[in-house]
Amino acid sequence: MFTVDSNEELNIKALKLVTITENRKKTTFKVDSVEIGKDFLFIAGPCSVESEEQIMESAKLAFEAGANMLRGGAYKLRTSPYSFQGLGKIGLEYLSKAGRFYKMPIVTEIIDTRDVSLVSEYADILQIGARNMQNITLLTEVSKTNKPVLLKRGMNATLEEWLNSAEYILKGGNNKVILCERGIRTFETFTRNTLDLSSVTALKELTHLPVIVDPSHATGRRELVEPMSLAAIIAGCDGLEVEMHYNPKVALSDAEQQLSGKQLKDLIINAKKTIDFRNTLNLALEE
């Protein structure tokens, strides 16, 4: 784990690559037909790939709901060693098959440097989870690939620490980075984490990188996912990553926060209305 020496001051202005400058344009890049940083991202899918049937049915519902990317975990870092840890390579194969069938790019977490080459063969976007945000060895390894990286904020990380992690990836030669706010740990226990929407607005001022929000991990409660998604859109995010399952009640991980297909469809309908409202509001404020 990366730590900062007591006499080392983190300074956003000292970052060379992630910050906005006069001659640096907003980062956009294409993944298949989706232009990240321009098109609004609707990344949806189950927490874990549990079986071929499960991921195919979940992908079908995500596609029909209007998602433009499919997520699913083949390798899972779990708090308990007795919890479901994912299917590994076979999970990647199932996820890839579902993505190809429904023509959706796939996003999956990578947790070990030894798996970078393997996961890169299947995934369109490599996700670095909250627990690995400051795993410098892993950040350095993914910086050597040509795969976009979705970098989640660590649950105890400041914005400066988060941006420094992104700087490692850019410094290594990979400028296709997406920042994902997924909640931070506070004294509150009603929700899984505390969604820091101020980070979205702040980052839109500080960095040229796309910023998305994961309301599922931020709240841990499915009834809060849609309202927090809509709030995130007003805050200025470039996309959402939402967990959904064809039958959340039987999910092997994060059952409480996963949406059904209908709930995802309703969310995306309301999200698109909110995006239109945001765009109208921004135009009015510019006049």
Side-chain angles (χ1 to χ4, degrees):
M1 185 69 76
F2 174 70
T3 57
V4 179
D5 295 334
S6 58
N7 62 349
E8 179 184 359
E9 292 186 5
L10 284 172
N11 186 344
I12 289 176
K13 292 182 179 179
L15 296 172
K16 299 178 180 179
L17 301 174
V18 302
T19 51
I20 293 175
T21 62
E22 291 183 1
N23 59 352
R24 186 173 288 152
K25 296 181 180 179
K26 176 181 175 181
T27 291
T28 62
F29 52 90
K30 295 197 75 170
V31 178
D32 289 348
S33 61
V34 182
E35 188 167 0
I36 296 172
K38 183 178 180 181
D39 300 332
F40 195 88
L41 297 185
F42 289 109
I43 305 172
C47 172
S48 304
V49 179
E50 301 164 359
S51 67
E52 183 174 4
E53 178 186 9
Q54 173 253 10
I55 190 59
M56 289 298 292
E57 184 61 26
S58 296
K60 176 178 182 289
L61 293 174
F63 174 77
E64 291 175 346
N68 50 17
M69 289 194 175
L70 177 66
R71 61 145 289 142
Y75 298 91
K76 301 297 299 181
L77 282 175
R78 306 299 302 282
T79 300
S80 170
Y82 305 109
S83 298
F84 179 62
Q85 306 289 316
L87 297 178
K89 182 180 178 182
I90 194 169
L92 291 174
E93 293 172 353
Y94 292 158
L95 181 63
S96 178
K97 178 180 178 181
R100 290 196 309 271
F101 188 85
Y102 291 102
K103 295 181 172 58
M104 290 191 290
I106 63 171
V107 182
T108 195
E109 184 173 355
I110 186 164
I111 65 175
D112 194 311
T113 55
R114 294 169 294 184
D115 298 325
V116 171
S117 178
L118 174 64
V119 177
S120 295
E121 291 179 17
Y122 295 91
D124 296 290
I125 298 178
L126 306 176
Q127 178 173 297
I128 302 293
R131 289 181 174 90
N132 272 318
M133 188 207 81
Q134 289 181 310
N135 183 336
I136 304 306
T137 305
L138 184 56
L139 297 177
T140 302
E141 219 34 54
V142 299
S143 76
K144 300 173 185 176
T145 74
N146 63 353
K147 294 286 183 176
V149 178
L150 192 159
L151 178 65
K152 289 199 169 185
R153 182 183 185 179
M155 62 188 72
N156 300 307
T158 66
L159 295 188
E160 290 174 317
E161 290 166 341
W162 188 12
L163 287 173
N164 267 274
S165 293
E167 188 86 1
Y168 270 96
I169 302 173
L170 270 68
K171 184 176 181 293
N174 187 343
N175 61 359
K176 299 176 182 178
V177 176
I178 307 163
L179 299 173
C180 181
E181 166 63 45
R182 45 80 68 203
I184 54 176
R185 178 167 289 178
T186 68
F187 55 81
E188 183 55 67
T189 57
F190 181 77
T191 51
R192 180 172 181 173
N193 295 285
T194 297
L195 179 56
D196 181 12
L197 288 181
S198 67
S199 73
V200 177
T201 307
L203 288 173
K204 298 300 287 185
E205 295 293 326
L206 293 170
T207 180
H208 54 89
L209 298 174
V211 182
I212 70 170
V213 171
D214 174 355
S216 302
H217 283 91
T219 65
R221 304 173 71 99
R222 69 171 57 86
E223 70 272 17
L224 297 181
V225 170
E226 181 174 324
M228 291 301 96
S229 295
L230 304 186
I233 291 169
I234 295 299
C237 73
D238 298 299
L240 299 167
E241 183 176 34
V242 177
E243 288 193 345
M244 62 79 60
H245 193 287
Y246 81 100
N247 186 359
K249 292 180 181 180
V250 302
L252 297 181
S253 57
D254 289 352
E256 311 80 19
Q257 66 192 40
Q258 298 199 64
L259 303 182
S260 66
K262 183 181 183 307
Q263 288 171 325
L264 177 67
K265 186 173 184 178
D266 290 342
L267 183 157
I268 292 179
I269 289 171
N270 290 328
K272 289 180 177 178
K273 293 177 182 178
T274 307
I275 293 166
D276 289 340
F277 173 76
R278 182 181 74 179
N279 293 339
T280 301
L281 180 62
N282 288 339
L283 286 174
L285 291 173
E286 290 173 1
E287 293 179 352

